[in-house]
Amino acid sequence: MRNLTFSFVCLLVFGIGTVAKAQQIDSMMSVYAEGFPKEKIHVHFDRPVYNTGDTLFYKVYLLAGNEPSVLSKNLYVEWYDTTGTLIKQTVAPLYQATAKGSFEIPANYGGGFLHVKAFTRWMLNDDVAYLFQKNIPINGGNIVIGRMPSPTRVEIFPESGTLVEGVNSRVAFKAINQAGLPVKIKGVLVDAQKKVLDSLKVQHDGMGVFVLKPLPGQQYQLNWTDEFGRAGTTSIKDIKKEGVVLTVRTNNEKAFLQFERSEPASANFKQMNLLVHMNQVLMYKVGLKMSERNFQRAEIPIEELPTGIVQFTLFTADWIPVAERIAFINNHTHDFNAKINPIVTNLGKRALNKFDIFVSDTSMTNMSVAVIDANANSNDPHSIFSNFLLASEIKGYVHNPSYYFQSDADSIMNRLDLVMMTNGWRKINWEKMREGIGPQLKYMPETEYMTLKGSVFGIKPGMVKDQQLNFVMAAK
């Protein structure tokens, strides 16, 4: 962890009580990082689409933070039909943080997809939103389509969590249907007198942003019409009379932060603290003096941070969190450049093909390869990058997450930032940390493989001398 000092950000001299709280949070973050590392999963399936009666093969990869997990030894996979009814649960041993298995799709299965959920017992200590989940398409299945699309709802997300009277805020919005799929809308932001303050424009997958400076006593709402011609309104509520707004922009080297508080403000908003952290690890701590002015800027170096989601949390002088923002940092530390060299190629039926796969001599590798029909639709909206770096770190459905890893184009990065603004994330319980309360764990990691133990009865001495007995377990 690094303390930063800027010419325009003054480090503060804290009182004894404030220093104690700061040290408490520092030490408790270490306790959580070491005692409750977060496991996350990617599942590689051998095909993007299946038929009824097919055997589905898969390989699972398990990380804790950004490294292969050494915590768990058993991997659970659950298979559900389209109604949410459990079809089957399987358990596989994890070796070198990977597991493999298969599932036979019933020949009489009539659903349009299978829902798969994968997890370790340790992962059940966290919110179920962070378990690996995916819908696998089934050819020829029955997909119920209603006469009209499900109702549209528009959700709003102030950039740092809250709107504050008298302070400009960027506010993201997301238009979705009941299934969480994006919907196109157009509309306006109006006040109580129906005055138009800003327009609503979807930038990508139902998401967009507008600017609002709430005035005391004023009310605001969004008036919108979706792509199906249905009109709706979304009220803007929970505007704070006192607070601070945090704005974040990034480039390849730095994060540019802007802090603006309400005026007037109480004393605990005039001396503030910023923590920058990733994977429960504190990266930077900054003290902000805002007694003489209600506006500050800061720059945080990010070029040496690993690829992933970084969190910015702003506290009052007495360490109460009042603003929080996440941003995605892509320093390509996740890149894995494997090269495939064809040795023998033959398109004949069941013909022999040989390929060499080359990786760096310094890279530890554990890979899986799927061979599919080149004419098949292989545009999987999920990838190992999107699962480990994005979907496993935030709450809520992300539409086509692998899109955000196609390139570093500004347009894609700006759209990824909309995802950062419109989804929940792994929020730390700062109140527990301030009180010195460690992680409350219901499930311990399974550090041993599953075993079956028992006794054999009815065999007389000498009947099976020096012989191996086979144990067969069959379902009822």
Side-chain angles (χ1 to χ4, degrees):
M1 185 272 294
R2 286 165 276 189
N3 289 294
L4 298 185
T5 309
F6 304 101
S7 60
F8 41 81
V9 177
C10 301
L11 289 179
L12 306 175
V13 178
F14 300 109
I16 295 176
T18 303
V19 171
K21 290 178 182 178
Q23 292 174 342
Q24 178 81 353
I25 288 179
D26 286 2
S27 61
M28 288 306 299
M29 287 192 74
S30 298
V31 168
Y32 273 77
E34 296 172 6
F36 189 26
K38 309 290 187 177
E39 287 186 325
K40 47 191 178 182
I41 284 173
H42 169 70
V43 182
H44 181 196
F45 297 96
D46 64 325
R47 277 184 276 166
V49 182
Y50 296 86
N51 299 314
T52 56
D54 283 349
T55 299
L56 178 156
F57 295 92
Y58 61 88
K59 183 172 180 179
V60 178
Y61 298 86
L62 178 69
L63 296 186
N66 290 325
E67 300 294 332
S69 177
V70 296
L71 290 172
S72 299
K73 287 290 190 289
N74 299 303
L75 188 282
Y76 298 84
V77 182
E78 295 179 344
W79 307 87
Y80 296 85
D81 64 15
T82 52
T83 67
T85 301
L86 178 65
I87 301 174
K88 187 177 183 180
Q89 183 192 68
T90 60
V91 186
L94 283 157
Y95 176 69
Q96 293 183 344
T98 63
K100 58 184 178 180
S102 63
F103 175 76
E104 294 184 8
I105 303 172
N108 61 350
Y109 185 72
F113 63 87
L114 282 167
H115 182 74
V116 60
K117 183 187 298 182
F119 55 93
T120 66
R121 187 173 177 85
W122 178 250
M123 292 173 66
L124 297 178
N125 290 301
D126 213 339
D127 194 307
V128 295
Y130 301 119
L131 304 183
F132 176 91
Q133 300 190 61
K134 183 179 180 180
N135 291 333
I136 301 174
I138 306 297
N139 281 328
N142 297 321
I143 301 177
V144 179
I145 301 177
R147 294 183 179 179
M148 278 290 291
S150 58
T152 297
R153 70 176 186 269
V154 178
E155 301 173 344
I156 63 168
F157 305 86
E159 179 167 11
S160 57
T162 57
L163 289 166
V164 180
E165 288 185 358
V167 181
N168 264 314
S169 294
R170 294 174 73 240
V171 183
F173 66 86
K174 180 165 62 175
I176 54 176
N177 61 22
Q178 287 183 330
L181 298 176
V183 178
K184 293 181 180 179
I185 65 165
K186 58 182 179 180
V188 291
L189 165 67
V190 299
D191 60 17
Q193 290 72 42
K194 308 300 182 184
K195 179 181 178 181
V196 175
L197 305 177
D198 204 349
S199 60
L200 304 182
K201 182 180 179 181
V202 170
Q203 298 176 22
H204 182 68
D205 282 347
M207 300 176 292
V209 66
F210 61 89
V211 177
L212 174 62
K213 183 178 182 179
L215 299 178
Q218 185 61 273
Q219 297 179 336
Y220 305 91
Q221 72 178 32
L222 305 180
N223 296 334
W224 49 266
T225 303
D226 67 17
E227 59 187 280
F228 309 106
R230 295 174 300 196
T233 61
T234 302
S235 298
I236 299 176
K237 302 177 180 179
D238 299 326
I239 300 174
K240 305 294 184 182
K241 293 185 177 297
E242 182 183 52
V244 62
V245 170
L246 167 63
T247 303
V248 178
R249 299 288 188 278
T250 62
N251 63 18
N252 293 333
E253 298 178 351
K254 296 179 180 180
F256 301 91
L257 280 61
Q258 177 177 295
F259 313 87
E260 186 175 359
R261 63 165 173 78
S262 53
E263 189 68 55
S266 55
N268 62 339
F269 280 95
K270 295 181 179 180
Q271 296 178 345
M272 309 194 74
N273 310 286
L274 175 73
L275 298 185
V276 183
H277 48 103
M278 296 182 75
N279 297 318
Q280 303 181 109
V281 176
L282 186 59
M283 299 296 180
Y284 300 106
K285 180 163 62 175
V286 181
L288 299 169
K289 185 176 181 180
M290 300 184 70
S291 57
E292 298 179 357
R293 52 188 298 186
N294 68 334
F295 184 90
Q296 288 281 17
R297 288 192 177 97
E299 297 177 3
I300 306 292
I302 59 174
E303 71 272 19
E304 295 182 3
L305 298 182
T307 297
I309 292 177
V310 61
Q311 297 178 229
F312 302 88
T313 308
L314 187 63
F315 298 81
T316 58
D318 51 354
W319 290 93
I320 303 297
V322 290
E324 196 161 31
R325 172 76 149 89
I326 62 174
F328 193 87
I329 308 300
N330 188 356
N331 288 326
H332 294 279
T333 56
H334 64 289
D335 285 352
F336 179 75
N337 297 314
K339 296 181 179 179
I340 298 179
N341 181 32
I343 305 301
V344 178
T345 58
N346 194 323
L347 298 180
K349 187 175 182 179
R350 297 186 179 277
L352 176 66
N353 289 267
K354 291 184 178 181
F355 299 88
D356 280 343
I357 301 177
F358 296 93
V359 297
S360 169
D361 291 339
T362 59
S363 299
M364 183 186 73
T365 58
N366 190 332
M367 298 182 290
S368 52
V369 177
V371 180
I372 62 173
D373 189 335
N375 295 321
N377 179 15
S378 59
N379 294 324
D380 194 331
H382 304 270
S383 70
I384 191 169
F385 292 150
S386 67
N387 279 333
F388 278 142
L389 299 174
L390 182 59
S392 62
E393 295 295 328
I394 60 179
K395 288 184 177 180
Y397 172 76
V398 179
H399 190 66
N400 193 17
S402 62
Y403 162 80
Y404 302 104
F405 295 87
Q406 291 180 357
S407 79
D408 291 338
D410 289 344
S411 58
I412 292 180
M413 292 298 99
N414 290 336
R415 292 166 180 174
L416 177 55
D417 198 51
L418 285 174
V419 176
M420 298 293 99
M421 293 178 65
T422 57
N423 286 78
W425 58 90
R426 292 183 185 270
K427 293 189 177 181
I428 294 175
N429 191 322
W430 298 109
E431 183 176 350
K432 286 186 176 180
M433 285 199 175
R434 291 174 69 242
E435 299 300 325
I437 300 174
Q440 308 298 302
L441 303 177
K442 183 178 180 181
Y443 304 96
M444 292 295 104
E446 294 182 305
T447 57
E448 301 292 337
Y449 295 112
M450 283 191 170
T451 58
L452 289 174
K453 297 180 179 180
S455 302
V456 178
F457 298 94
I459 298 178
K460 296 180 180 180
M463 290 179 62
V464 290
K465 183 179 179 180
D466 298 328
Q467 293 186 31
Q468 177 177 309
L469 295 178
N470 294 321
F471 176 76
V472 179
M473 183 172 61
K476 292 182 179 180

